[in-house]
Amino acid sequence: MIARRDSAVGEQDTGGGKKTAKAAGKAPVEKRTSAKKAAPVRKGAAVKKATVAPKKAAAPVKKASATKTVAAKSPRNESRTALVRRARRINRELAEVFPYAHPELDFENPFQLIVATVLSAQTTDLRVNQTTPALFATYPTPEDLAAANPEDVEEILRPTGFFRAKTKSVIGLSKALVENFGGEVPGRLEDLVTLPGVGRKTAFVVLGNAFGRPGVTVDTHFMRLVRRWQWTDETDPDKIEAAVTALFPKSDWTDLSHHVIWHGRRICHARKPACGACPITPLCPAYGEGETDPEKAKKLLKYEKGGFPGQRLNPPQAYLDAGGKAAPPLGAAE
């Protein structure tokens, strides 16, 4: 079973894990609430409303009460079969919303993808995409980058942050590719994770998007959303990976990752989810944590959903056909 998690580079996603842990922290509160209400008179409906309702104004909660009733179940009280069905339906709904979902790093070959993924730690894909054109124009092959002057590479990578560590990683992995794999990016997990700066997350990004081998990318967005949807209560990337892959057929894993990550970046944000503009509210136990007013929620949408450019300078044609916009190059007005 192939699945992805954060790499040594992506381990800085731990911050995202803390945020998701906050969301998970509400689960015990729900349990205590139902326990207190159970004693007086079995007011099951009232308990469910209290469980899903946010700590904000009551008016929006009442408006969406029917939706919340549908979404009131969680892994603690829904059957395994019901959880699988709900999870798969969410993926189908997101596939309709993001039929053009794709990796948001620009790349033309496995070497460019693995380097770009390593560089994406603690920065945006947009910043990486704005930086790699100069890098690959100067060092188009592993052999070129392996023989590069570190100071020259640092200057190119400076906009991505942590440029010294990233320079060491990309030059190191290039040398390893040349010395151990004939200058070619290997297509096996066990080989990829031996490269400097490459962990399971980076390896599965490459396997899924450069070699067509299914895998789940457990990044900060993915961890936050699957916990928010109560597909799992786990906080460890390995355990999240195992729990989620068990809900879906292997053939769905790569696209599932794109759907969830795109939804997290565009609609279901960490601090202010656009609940009122979300297409899966009947299936979401966390509905109401964000803005529920449709008009106000629309203003929270990002990227093409909000009318703004995406993160790739050279996105797939399907994305452009759907109304998406290419990102500007480095130095242009963003």
Side-chain angles (χ1 to χ4, degrees), residues 195-206:
L195 300 172
V198 177
R200 289 176 63 88
K201 172 190 167 184
T202 299
F204 287 132
V205 169
V206 174

Side-chain angles (χ1 to χ4, degrees), residues 2-291:
I2 298 179
R4 309 181 203 155
R5 70 175 192 115
D6 292 340
S7 66
V9 174
E11 282 174 357
Q12 294 137 32
D13 287 339
T14 311
K18 289 180 182 175
K19 288 179 186 174
T20 52
K22 272 189 179 177
K26 294 184 181 177
V29 175
E30 293 173 3
K31 205 164 186 180
R32 288 197 298 271
T33 302
S34 59
K36 288 180 182 177
K37 297 287 183 181
V41 179
R42 300 176 179 172
K43 294 187 178 180
V47 173
K48 283 190 176 182
K49 285 184 179 179
T51 299
V52 184
K55 295 180 180 179
K56 299 182 182 179
V61 176
K62 290 180 181 177
K63 272 186 180 180
S65 58
T67 298
K68 279 185 237 178
T69 300
V70 174
K73 292 186 176 182
S74 74
R76 288 180 300 281
N77 59 17
E78 75 180 337
S79 68
R80 175 70 179 178
T81 299
L83 172 58
V84 169
R85 287 175 177 171
R86 180 166 65 87
R88 294 185 182 186
R89 185 178 169 192
I90 286 176
N91 187 39
R92 290 196 299 271
E93 295 287 343
L94 294 182
E96 292 184 10
V97 178
F98 306 110
Y100 43 77
H102 55 267
E104 293 194 272
L105 289 169
D106 281 323
F107 70 98
E108 296 178 356
N109 53 56
F111 174 62
Q112 291 188 1
L113 179 57
I114 196 170
V115 170
T117 306
V118 168
L119 297 178
S120 68
Q122 292 199 339
T123 190
T124 62
D125 286 354
L126 169 59
R127 184 60 69 201
V128 173
N129 292 335
Q130 291 173 326
T131 305
T132 51
L135 179 69
F136 296 136
T138 308
Y139 311 105
T141 68
E143 289 82 0
D144 295 322
L145 192 50
N149 181 334
E151 292 182 357
D152 294 336
V153 177
E154 286 178 2
E155 279 306 305
I156 296 175
L157 300 185
R158 189 179 293 272
T160 67
F162 301 95
F163 58 91
R164 291 190 179 89
K166 291 179 180 180
T167 294
K168 183 177 180 181
S169 291
V170 297
I171 289 180
L173 77 84
S174 297
K175 288 180 178 179
L177 288 175
V178 173
E179 295 171 2
N180 304 326
F181 301 102
E184 298 292 331
V185 175
R188 299 195 314 162
L189 171 64
E190 52 267 43
D191 293 331
L192 287 169
V193 295
T194 66
L195 300 172
V198 177
R200 289 176 63 88
K201 172 190 167 184
T202 299
F204 287 132
V205 169
V206 174
L207 289 173
N209 297 290
F211 293 98
R213 298 181 180 178
V216 167
T217 305
V218 183
D219 72 348
T220 52
H221 299 289
F222 194 92
M223 287 194 290
R224 183 179 79 249
L225 266 62
V226 299
R227 287 171 54 78
R228 187 172 274 174
W229 295 334
Q230 296 184 15
W231 289 2
T232 178
D233 289 329
E234 301 293 348
T235 57
D236 177 75
D238 283 340
K239 293 180 179 179
I240 290 175
E241 171 185 301
V244 174
T245 53
L247 300 176
F248 296 88
K250 189 175 181 179
S251 58
D252 287 351
W253 291 353
T254 299
D255 285 341
L256 168 69
S257 300
H258 293 323
H259 298 155
V260 175
I261 292 170
W262 275 55
H263 189 60
R265 286 176 170 171
R266 287 153 173 76
I267 299 175
C268 194
H269 312 134
R271 295 183 181 178
K272 217 169 185 182
C275 293
C278 180
I280 59 167
T281 53
L283 303 168
C284 181
Y287 175 81
E289 286 187 8
E291 180 57 65

